[in-house]
Amino acid sequence: MRRRTLMGCGAIVAACAVLSSCGAGGIGGGESQGQVTDDLGIITADYVIVDLDSGALDTATALDDVATNATYRTTKMVFRAVPAGTATTGAAAGTFGAQSDETPATSSHVKYYLAVFEVTQAQWARIAGASSTPWTATGVASVAGSVAGDTVPAYGLSRDIIDTALVASTGQWSFSFDLPTAHQWEVACRGGTASVFSWGELGATPATTAATYARVAETAQGGTGPEVVGSRTPNALGLYDMHGNVWEWTKGGTGTIRGGSWRDSVSMARAANKQDLDRAVPHALVGARLVLVP
């Protein structure tokens, strides 16, 4: 893994133009070529690791310690590249749990970077400030059992709370964060599959099948509140908790959440399912997953 400084969008475009206009050996020296190569790291890497304390970024083609490195849930944030492509979202009529607002639609997307984990409470403190602890509010805590911990998802997050924090953090680093669009979220959740869940279908023993991947009502074993992020098996893209644990906000509209939670049935955690929620409501079952914006 090699540390690189993230460029702004304009610099990326300029670097790409230079690279495409120069033939092999046309950059004019090893030092310049090395700089262009470093600059292009952000648009070629599979992973980008953000240090929330220093603002430094690393890029990597592979990360073997995502599941075990505690800093990735606390002082750092790992983003996984979702390749550009064309994908179909939604659910066909007659499939398990399909709703009338899930009519299949196909559209294209550019490459983007989505967080491997839901935003944890330690990460939220670094983004929004140590005094922002919506999960401790009386109404929220009464539902989730006052579950707190550095590596547990930040919950009780309304869209308004998130938007305010992200706007305020703009300029703090050389990059910014945003919420994924509905298309980005579902494409990432599916991880290249076309099935109801990223792992496939429920199978003959739904609770057993789902338990490997998701903390939902059927698999929480009577427990209250979300669990440490990354406690279960990730999808094919290496993204954890896309089904269950806490609902995740998406960008656009008056307010839409995706993915289900620890208190909801597994059917609510379907990749295509979406629920409208008042953007001002700090709900105990709702958190967030972020997109990295160069």
Side-chain angles (χ1 to χ4, degrees), residues 55-113:
L57 291 106
D58 287 330
T59 59
T61 55
L63 278 183
D64 297 330
D65 61 345
V66 171
T68 58
N69 190 329
T71 66
Y72 295 159
R73 295 170 171 83
T74 53
T75 61
K76 297 181 180 180
M77 189 175 289
V78 177
F79 291 84
R80 178 69 164 91
V82 180
T86 300
T88 299
T89 57
T95 58
F96 175 72
Q99 303 294 311
S100 60
D101 63 346
E102 297 170 6
T103 302
T106 302
S107 58
S108 299
H109 57 272
V110 298
K111 180 180 179 180
Y112 59 98
Y113 285 87

Side-chain angles (χ1 to χ4, degrees), residues 73-241:
R73 295 170 171 83
T74 53
T75 61
K76 297 181 180 180
M77 189 175 289
V78 177
F79 291 84
R80 178 69 164 91
V82 180
T86 300
T88 299
T89 57
T95 58
F96 175 72
Q99 303 294 311
S100 60
D101 63 346
E102 297 170 6
T103 302
T106 302
S107 58
S108 299
H109 57 272
V110 298
K111 180 180 179 180
Y112 59 98
Y113 285 87
L114 185 69
V116 167
F117 301 121
E118 294 164 329
V119 177
T120 67
Q121 293 177 12
Q123 291 167 339
W124 181 253
R126 286 168 170 79
I127 294 170
S131 63
S132 180
T133 57
W135 52 88
T136 63
T138 302
V140 172
S142 66
V143 173
S146 300
V147 175
D150 284 349
T151 57
V152 174
Y155 58 92
L157 299 180
S158 69
R159 261 288 298 279
D160 287 348
I161 288 174
I162 295 169
D163 288 350
T164 298
L166 296 187
V167 168
S169 70
T170 300
Q172 180 178 349
W173 303 293
S174 61
F175 52 86
S176 60
F177 300 124
D178 204 350
L179 293 171
T181 65
H183 180 83
Q184 287 176 328
W185 188 93
E186 189 170 333
V187 168
C189 176
R190 291 184 181 280
T193 70
S195 51
V196 173
F197 301 94
S198 63
W199 65 78
E201 312 304 334
L202 282 178
T205 53
T208 302
T209 303
T212 302
Y213 301 90
R215 180 174 173 82
V216 291
E218 294 90 339
T219 69
Q221 299 178 317
T224 299
E227 64 187 0
V228 171
V229 300
S231 294
R232 310 212 177 200
T233 302
N235 69 6
L237 277 175
L239 304 172
Y240 294 81
D241 305 308

Side-chain angles (χ1 to χ4, degrees), residues 185 189 196-197 216 242-244 259-261 265-271 273:
W185 188 93
C189 176
V196 173
F197 301 94
V216 291
M242 295 299 297
H243 304 285
S261 78
S265 168
V266 67
S267 65
M268 301 293 282
R270 294 177 302 108
N273 188 44

